[in-house]
Every structure is written in structure tokens, then in C-alpha cells.
Amino acid sequence: MMPSGKTAEGPRRKNLDGLFKPRSVAMVGASADPHKIGHQILRNIVEGGFAGEVYPVNACAEAVLGLKTFPSVAAIPHPVDFAVISIPATAVAACMEECGQKGVQAVAVITSGFAEAGNIEEEHKLKAIADRYGMALVGPNILGVVYSPSRLNATFGPRDMASGGTAFVSQSGALAIGLMGWAVMEKMGMSALVSIGNKADVDERDLIEYFNHDEHVKVTLVYMEGLKNGRDFMQTRISKPVVMLKVGRTQRGARAAASHTGSLAGSDQVFDAAFRQLGMLRADTFREAFNWARALALPPMPGRKVLIITNGGGIGVRATDECEKAGLHLLDDPEWLEETFRPVMPSYGSTKNPIDLTGGAAADKYSQAFKSAVISDKFDALLVLYCETVITDPLAIAQGVSREYEAAGRRKPVVAAMVGGERSRQAIHFLNQQGVPAFTSVADAASSLNALAQWHEISSREKDDPECSQAPREAVRIVEQARKEGRSALLEHEARQVLELCGVPVPPAAFARDLDEAKLKAAALYPLAMKIASPQIIHKSDAGGVAVNIRDESELAEKYSAMMKTVSERVPDAQIEGVNLVQMAEGIECAAGLSSDPQFGPVVMFGLGGVLVEALKDVAFRIVPFGRVEAGRLIGDIKARNILDGFRGARADRPSLVQILCAIQKLAGLVKEVDINPIRSSEKGSFAVDARIIL
Ligand code: ACO
């Protein structure tokens, strides 16, 4: 077994070798009664072919499944690496204590009735025992653990799961059982399945990082319902593809109603941001997740160019559409295609990609075409399509493709989609068993290739270097002074000053207490915007406290009087301190903000600004801290990104937007929320035109 301790990626929190590569397993709660969970787990361990020692523990029975039982873990006269515990909740802590004293390295607690049932204290007790003895604790409230390389199936799920390259980590035990059955039916091989239940100790991060070093795991698939500690999760290092299926689109916790940023920061979007930032692929459905997992075990896909071989024009067109939709492009090289594929098809076949071998194409034609194609470097992935006909044998076609793929050394990604009845289904199963992902739908095939291409893009993307600097002292002083005065928000000119001190460019501006002072200070600022300054008015436009494009003194005077009148009518109790005069900045309106997510802590938002930020909700997030590279990706995540890049002429200045997104992180921990809306961005730079800072 590998020693615990440091790895190339830093200290591992707990050694999980005891869980996956135990020399001996104790099954606590092993019953002779086949209706009990403990019986079925013991049966799976024994009949699954686990090669190490197995010690059933049962207070009453003498023997179970022909194995001598022990009354307790302490009574086992041999070392025990791993204990599976399936006894009533009240007895689990005492059993774990015994395990700790015995030197057990890992325990899996199947038992329910802990935090999920409100019994939080008892669960904390289990975690404390695990920590005291350095044991890894999986669960409680779980299905168990499967690890194919050790032939260990310590679950009460199906027994006949095939081994393969996917490790499945599931928060839900029931779903894990269901999906084990599905995996068996769909010939989806798995190297590991870990049900993590209440995650009192071992969680997604531990497992993903463990599998980084496990040669048997090519892809980790995680089913997640929620996180206990988002900031710890953000430290997860991944070196292999991780497919994340996160469900439960929960609302974010309470937040200040006064902020646009807060009102848009739906927690699901923040989870989305977290996965992107970590380089994980987020799937929407189980089918998608499993399809992707199959494809991600293929050789790398360095580009997005695809070649399609088919026996039907219609399915070829469908596949072309799905490929385009998924951002994949069909190889377009007429000469090479004609030269390569003409010899293997009838005169009425088509050598335009999709290569149409036509409906009569049998296994020999598919094999020849596949053989010619798979050795070429002209494209990045091969998609084999088949529509079932009575004159062709899908299984023979699948066998031919698989044989040629092996002969060519599996040099590039190959997936298949076969449409038909039972015979096609058999061919699909055959291909999946041979490691050629095969699907019943062309959309699934295209989506899987897209996942593979995405993983290549993620793994070769530029590394981000998070910036963790603090707000300058003067900015802290302004914030603290406002707090001392009992205010819940900074005044506009204070907010502008704080942002400027942090490195956010702001347009030239001035504060004026009355009209005379405004006339004086406005001279250097025309054209300008005038905004009411009052601690009681947060939504200035709603109060009639904003006038824009003021060009000269007479317009200033006129708009000033009108503003004072409207504001005093709409918010009669407001204490008016004066007006802020801000030089009009030109450019595309964007918005940025900083708020706090209950799970991930400080997050930064970016989107289009002005009224669009609320109307379109086209915003994206990143978890603080992040650097310039990630800030650039955040900007690229919004759907309207092409507007920033010069749609109809005007273009935003991305570098200065990046600067703003990096700079506002300095306020994390110091203030509650920052909302900059709009930022005006043009070739001249990006400027925070209006900002609110909530304490
Ligand atoms: N030491 C040794 N043996 C013990 C001990 C002990 N401290 N305590 C009990 N035993 C024995 C019992 O005598 C019994 O053996 P027997 O049948 O020979 O008498 C055996 O261990 C099991 O104990 P029971 O008291 O019979 O408990 P039972 O098996 O009925 O239930 C269980 C235990 C399964 C852990 C139950 O408490 C539980 O939590 N069930 C839910 C499990 C679950 O659903 N987990 C989540 C999975 S994921 C999903 O949602 C599907």
C-alpha cells in the first residue's frame, strides 16, 4: 500500500488506500438473514471475488456464508484495514472507536439516521473518532464502495458490474444503486463507485484527488446535490476529466435586496462558475454524464474536426447538424476524401463528408473505409453511423470497426451511433464493451465528442494566477468611517474613491453641495451626468435623481431644479447632501459586482450593464480569488460576448474590464457587496460610471 502523507500535489488529507486496496475487510453487522443489508454486503464482498481476508462481525451468529464470525472488531485476531459498518445508528460510534483502536484505516458507515435525520451531534462524534485515529470515514448513510481493481464490492447493489475506466462518486445512495443497475445493462464499466452520503469526512475533493493518481481511473463522474464547504472544494486539483452532475437548483440565502448583483447571483450559477473555474465538465442529465464519461476515456481530441462514415444520407445530415450545434466541424478536403473513399463505395455513394457508403454497405465496406480513415491525421475524431437494414449485420459491422480500431492502435477518438432495433442494440453493447462509445442517437455521439474536445481545451488552457492583494489603507479607512457613522452603504463619491484606490478606473467627477458649487465644478466636466447624493436613496433613477448628457450651464441649472423637485416629492424624508457630477463616458454598458455566496464566499459577477443586466440576466460568475486569465474567461462566458467584440462597430476594451474584475476582489471581506453598473467600455478604456458599495 502507498504510505499516507504528501503527494506531488501537496498533503492529502487522509490516505484512502485502506478503502480501495485493503488487505482485509471486517463486515460489521454481517447477518445470516438474507433480507438484511449486512448479509447482502458480505455476499457481494465474498462472491465479488475479493482476494483479501474477510471477517464477518456479528454479536450473535457463529458463522455467516460459511465464514467464521467474530463478536466484535476487537475480537478479530488479525489486522483489519477496512471496516464496513451496517448496524443500528446507536451502536456505530462504539464500533468506530473499536476500529480506531484496532488500527483500521478506513470505515464505510452504511447506517442511516445521522445528520440527514437531524442527528447532527452523533455524526460529529463519528467524524471526531475518525480524526482522532486518522481513519478515513465514508458516509454515514451510504450504499457502500466498489473498487474493481481489488475486486471489492462492499455495497448492497448489483454484483455484476463490469470493470472500466470510470469512477463514480455519488452523494445519493439510492441513485447509485439505480445507476449501478443501469451501468450493468448498458455495459458501462467502472473502476470505482463510492457512495459518500452525508460526507461527514471523505468528500468529492478527497476522491477526485485520489483518482488523479489511480492508473485504473480515466474519468471521475460526480453526482452532487450540495456542498458543505465550497471554498475547500475550490482547492480541488484535477489532472483527469471530471464530469459533474449537480442537481438541486436551490435559491441563494438571504441577501441585501438593494443590490442588483445579489439579486442575480443564483447559487446554481455560482456552482456553474465553480465547475468552470476548476475545469470540470458539467452535464445536465445522467445520460449525458455517462455518455461523456465513456467518451472521455478515449484518446485525446486535439481539435474539433470530424469525419463521418455512414450508410444513410439522412442520418448523415442529422449528425452534421448535431456536430455543428456542438461546435464540431466536418472535415472539408474534397480531393483527399475522393481519393481515399471512392475505392470502397459504389458509384452512387458520396465521398463528401459525411462519407455515404450507402444502404447496402456491409461489414467489409465499413472496415475498409474505417481502416483508410483512422490512420489519417486530417481530422480529430471519427463518427461511425449506421441505420439498420435487413441486408446488413450490425454486429458484424461493429466487430469489423472494433478490429480495425485495435489494429490501428486506437490512435484517435472514435464514437458510433447506430439506429435500429434489437440487432443494433447488441452491436452498440458490443462496441461499448470494446471501449468504442456507441449510442442510439447522433446527438449523444456529437455531444460526447464535444465533451472530449472540451477536455483537451481545458487541459491545455493557460494557467491562472490568482491575485490576492488587499484593499489599500485609505480605502479601508473610508469604509470604517462610514461604519462608525452607522451607515449601511457608502455615498456615491466615497464608493467612487474606494474603487479608484483599488485600481478601478473612474471618469472625472466632482461633488457639489448646491447649484452654485455645481455650476463652478461642472465647467471642466461637460458633457456630464448629475446624480442625487443622499444616504437614503439607493435607487437614484427610481427617485428621479439622475440626469444625463448635460451639455452646459443652463441645462445644468434647469435639470438641477427639476431633480430637487421630483426627489423631494418621491422621497420626502430623504436627506439631500448635494449632487455628484460625473463626466459622461462612452462605450458599451457592462456591469460588475462582488457579493457573497453562502457556500463559496466572495464571488465576482460580470454581465452587460444598464437595464440589460436585469432584463437579460446574461451574467456569469467567478469565485474569488482569481487572476487575469480567469477574469478574461469570465468575460467570455456571457452569451452576449460578441457585442463586446465589435458587433456593429463599437467594441469594449477587454484588458481594462479584466483590470476591473481583478481590482474589485480587493474589497472581498471588507464590504458586503459591490455593484458597478454601468461600466462604460470603449477603445478608450473602461470606466465605472456608477457604483454602490453596501457595507
Ligand atoms: N456488533 C456486532 N453485531 C451487531 C451489532 C454490534 N454492535 N449490532 C447489531 N449487530 C448484528 C445484529 O445482531 C444483526 O445480526 P442478526 O441478524 O444475526 O441478528 C446485524 O448485526 C444487523 O443488525 P440489526 O440490528 O439487525 O440491524 P439491521 O440490519 O436491521 O439494520 C442498518 C441496520 C441496515 C444499518 C439500518 O440501521 C439502516 O441504517 N438502514 C438504512 C441503510 C441505508 O439505507 N443507507 C443508505 C443507503 S443509500 C440508499 O438510500 C439506498
Side-chain angles (χ1 to χ4, degrees):
M1 259 183 280
M2 259 171 49
S4 64
K6 297 213 171 219
T7 69
E9 292 175 348
R12 211 186 263 167
R13 290 176 297 182
K14 278 196 182 147
N15 183 14
L16 300 184
D17 284 343
L19 181 66
F20 295 117
K21 300 168 191 167
R23 290 160 298 190
S24 52
V25 179
M27 178 56 236
V28 186
S31 169
D33 180 349
H35 297 104
K36 291 196 179 178
I37 286 177
H39 176 93
Q40 291 304 334
I41 298 177
L42 181 67
R43 186 176 281 281
N44 270 353
I45 296 172
V46 174
E47 295 185 0
F50 175 62
E53 301 299 328
V54 183
Y55 306 118
V57 175
N58 184 307
C60 312
E62 294 270 301
V64 180
L65 292 175
L67 294 171
K68 173 183 159 35
T69 62
F70 299 86
S72 65
V73 172
I76 301 169
H78 310 285
V80 173
D81 288 339
F82 178 31
V84 184
I85 300 176
S86 179
I87 54 176
T90 46
V92 172
C95 176
M96 275 186 62
E97 188 71 47
E98 255 184 44
C99 289
Q101 282 172 11
K102 175 109 190 120
V104 170
Q105 295 170 24
V107 295
V109 178
I110 306 296
T111 314
S112 303
F114 292 91
E116 88 287 358
N119 195 0
I120 297 167
E121 238 173 71
E122 195 63 17
E123 187 163 311
H124 285 164
K125 219 165 152 191
L126 304 190
K127 165 75 171 148
I129 297 168
D131 286 348
R132 186 151 14 99
Y133 293 103
M135 275 187 303
L137 158 64
V138 187
N141 186 30
I142 60 167
L143 162 71
V145 175
V146 178
Y147 189 67
S148 302
S150 301
R151 298 180 66 89
L152 175 65
N153 182 343
T155 70
F156 55 101
R159 202 160 298 152
D160 39 2
M161 212 170 69
S163 62
T166 301
F168 179 33
V169 176
S170 177
Q171 192 168 351
S172 158
L175 262 172
I177 298 186
L179 288 166
M180 274 174 92
W182 184 85
V184 171
M185 198 175 73
E186 294 289 320
K187 315 294 178 213
M188 169 102 189
M190 291 205 195
S191 42
L193 179 145
V194 190
S195 155
I196 50 177
N198 295 4
K199 304 191 268 188
D201 182 31
V202 172
D203 62 11
E204 298 85 353
R205 177 181 171 196
D206 297 310
L207 292 162
I208 290 168
E209 292 186 348
Y210 183 85
F211 294 139
N212 278 341
H213 303 276
D214 185 335
E215 55 172 343
H216 303 287
V217 174
K218 290 186 171 162
V219 186
T220 303
L221 196 164
V222 181
Y223 168 80
M224 180 189 278
E225 286 169 6
L227 273 177
K228 284 186 168 175
N229 184 346
R231 294 204 78 72
D232 181 71
F233 180 71
M234 289 309 294
Q235 304 302 312
T236 309
R237 291 164 184 270
I238 69 166
S239 59
K240 293 176 184 174
V242 174
V243 178
M244 191 54 76
L245 184 65
K246 157 75 177 61
V247 296
R249 301 190 169 242
T250 55
Q251 291 299 309
R252 288 189 65 199
R255 67 186 80 123
S259 162
H260 287 150
T261 311
S263 64
L264 290 173
S267 68
D268 196 64
Q269 274 185 299
V270 177
F271 268 103
D272 216 61
F275 301 147
R276 279 169 186 268
Q277 213 162 324
L278 288 168
M280 297 172 175
L281 300 166
R282 186 174 186 181
D284 272 336
T285 61
F286 274 108
R287 175 159 293 282
E288 192 171 65
F290 278 90
N291 288 347
W292 290 3
R294 282 191 209 276
L296 286 159
L298 288 168
M301 185 168 162
R304 289 182 161 268
K305 218 175 272 173
V306 175
L307 179 74
I308 299 176
I309 297 176
T310 180
N311 67 345
I315 192 176
V317 176
R318 276 282 300 120
T320 305
D321 280 346
E322 292 297 339
C323 283
E324 287 295 322
K325 227 161 65 185
L328 304 164
H329 312 297
L330 265 59
L331 167 71
D332 187 17
D333 186 341
E335 275 173 34
W336 180 79
L337 291 169
E338 172 71 15
E339 187 185 311
T340 309
F341 296 107
R342 182 53 64 197
V344 299
M345 65 170 62
S347 57
Y348 45 86
S350 168
T351 63
K352 292 197 178 77
N353 191 10
I355 306 302
D356 186 358
L357 303 175
T358 72
D364 58 334
K365 292 291 178 211
Y366 264 97
S367 294
Q368 286 165 22
F370 185 91
K371 189 175 175 182
S372 313
V374 79
I375 50 167
S376 167
D377 289 327
K378 289 204 174 267
F379 57 95
D380 303 294
L382 184 52
L383 171 53
V384 180
L385 304 178
Y386 170 77
C387 285
E388 193 173 315
T389 68
V390 286
I391 54 165
T392 55
D393 178 357
L395 185 58
I397 288 170
Q399 285 165 340
V401 163
S402 164
R403 201 168 39 244
E404 293 303 338
Y405 194 30
E406 288 304 323
R410 296 178 64 91
R411 348 181 331 140
K412 60 170 52 191
V414 174
V415 300
M418 304 182 96
V419 179
E422 191 47 39
R423 293 191 307 139
S424 292
R425 177 59 68 125
Q426 278 173 15
I428 286 172
H429 284 168
F430 172 82
L431 284 173
N432 280 322
Q433 281 167 321
Q434 304 306 309
V436 179
F439 310 96
T440 52
S441 113
V442 287
D444 286 351
S447 153
S448 302
L449 284 180
N450 179 32
L452 187 59
Q454 268 184 331
W455 170 246
H456 183 82
E457 285 149 14
I458 288 168
S459 49
S460 48
R461 70 186 184 176
E462 193 183 344
K463 202 177 158 301
D464 190 42
D465 193 8
E467 296 172 15
C468 302
S469 53
Q470 307 270 308
R473 210 176 288 166
E474 178 58 10
V476 177
R477 193 197 61 73
I478 295 170
V479 169
E480 282 173 354
Q481 181 59 35
R483 270 209 184 98
K484 256 189 230 153
E485 291 171 17
R487 285 190 273 135
S488 60
L490 294 188
L491 293 171
E492 187 182 332
H493 68 278
E494 291 171 332
R496 195 179 312 111
Q497 204 182 340
V498 163
L499 288 176
E500 197 172 15
L501 286 163
C502 289
V504 175
V506 295
F511 174 72
R513 260 167 279 272
D514 52 32
L515 181 58
D516 287 340
E517 194 180 351
K519 282 181 182 166
L520 216 66
K521 290 188 171 165
L525 299 174
Y526 294 118
L528 58 82
M530 177 170 61
K531 292 181 270 181
I532 199 80
S534 163
Q536 287 80 32
I537 300 176
I538 290 179
H539 291 284
K540 295 185 278 285
S541 300
D542 296 349
V546 178
V548 295
N549 260 329
I550 299 173
R551 264 174 286 262
D552 54 36
E553 198 175 295
S554 71
E555 212 178 324
L556 179 80
E558 183 192 320
K559 295 232 164 118
Y560 184 94
S561 317
M563 182 180 288
M564 292 304 152
K565 185 166 178 287
T566 316
V567 168
S568 63
E569 281 164 11
R570 288 191 190 168
V571 196
D573 296 335
Q575 169 198 345
I576 310 293
E577 306 214 328
V579 288
N580 283 294
L581 306 167
V582 185
Q583 192 168 69
M584 294 296 294
E586 287 173 3
I588 296 168
E589 285 192 330
C590 306
L594 172 81
S595 61
S596 184
D597 180 87
Q599 263 140 345
F600 291 95
V603 295
V604 164
M605 181 280 288
F606 176 78
L608 285 191
V611 288
L612 292 179
V613 73
E614 277 190 292
L616 301 179
K617 293 197 168 38
D618 183 12
V619 296
F621 294 85
R622 282 299 180 275
I623 320 291
V624 173
F626 57 86
R628 302 185 75 80
V629 173
E630 203 57 50
R633 290 189 199 125
L634 166 56
I635 295 168
D637 272 358
I638 65 164
K639 293 183 200 87
R641 58 192 163 269
N642 60 349
I643 291 181
L644 302 178
D645 293 333
F647 182 77
R648 298 257 168 115
R651 61 189 309 132
D653 181 54
R654 285 204 185 211
S656 52
L657 288 174
V658 163
Q659 185 187 328
I660 292 174
L661 296 173
C662 290
I664 57 176
Q665 295 181 64
K666 293 179 189 168
L667 293 167
L670 180 64
V671 302
K672 192 169 173 215
E673 285 180 9
V674 177
D675 180 17
I676 314 180
N677 184 13
I679 294 166
R680 286 268 184 191
S681 185
S682 71
E683 275 148 353
K684 291 182 196 150
S686 304
F687 297 93
V689 172
D690 197 1
R692 282 181 299 134
I693 295 183
I694 310 287
L695 309 177

